[in-house]
Amino acid sequence: MAQHTPSAGSANPLDRSTALYERVPMAIGDQHTFAEVKTAVESSFAASNVATFLKSVQRAALRIRDFESVLQAGKLGAQTASLYAKLTNGDQGQIREFYLASLEQIDLALRNKFFKLYAYY
């Protein structure tokens, strides 16, 4: 049985080497509430606030990657948990993903300072 190998001249319409990393844009159900929650997360990770945010999470002995615990403890703002609860599951998933992505973009020096927050234990 002969194997099919594409010739150098054949065009491959889909580059599968990056297909796993492409995110499909999802529609936001409640734009206003989503924006408020996202703004609260962005505010916590703003350069002027991030050290205070990390310190408050550390003092509360929360796991930084446990978004729900950080949210419920009010570390992302007093009203953020109730706003988040109004979102659809898809919108909540996007907020969690945004939070975790923001967490990984914190400056390395600051991450090292708060090493215990980032460590898995």
Side-chain angles (χ1 to χ4, degrees):
M1 205 172 195
Q3 283 188 328
H4 175 66
T5 55
S7 64
S10 69
N12 187 359
L14 178 63
D15 179 7
R16 295 188 187 274
S17 65
T18 60
L20 295 176
Y21 301 106
E22 293 176 16
R23 292 180 18 192
V24 176
M26 294 179 59
I28 305 299
D30 181 349
Q31 291 280 346
H32 179 70
T33 304
F34 184 89
E36 286 186 64
V37 176
K38 186 175 180 185
T39 299
V41 173
E42 288 172 332
S43 176
S44 296
F45 287 100
S48 59
N49 298 335
V50 69
T52 303
F53 168 68
L54 293 173
K55 196 176 295 184
S56 72
V57 172
Q58 187 175 48
R59 270 191 254 123
L62 298 169
R63 292 178 152 225
I64 194 71
R65 288 185 179 92
D66 185 356
F67 173 74
E68 300 288 336
S69 295
V70 172
L71 179 69
Q72 295 303 320
K75 301 304 177 188
L76 297 170
Q79 301 300 318
T80 308
S82 62
L83 292 170
Y84 177 79
K86 294 178 184 180
L87 296 173
T88 65
N89 288 340
D91 292 353
Q92 287 179 352
Q94 289 186 67
I95 290 292
R96 281 190 306 272
E97 185 176 324
F98 177 71
Y99 170 85
L100 293 171
S102 299
L103 185 61
E104 296 305 319
Q105 292 174 6
I106 292 176
D107 182 60
L108 187 57
L110 196 54
R111 288 175 65 174
N112 287 336
K113 180 178 179 182
F114 290 94
F115 174 77
K116 287 185 179 181
L117 280 178
Y118 280 86
Y120 288 102
Y121 55 91

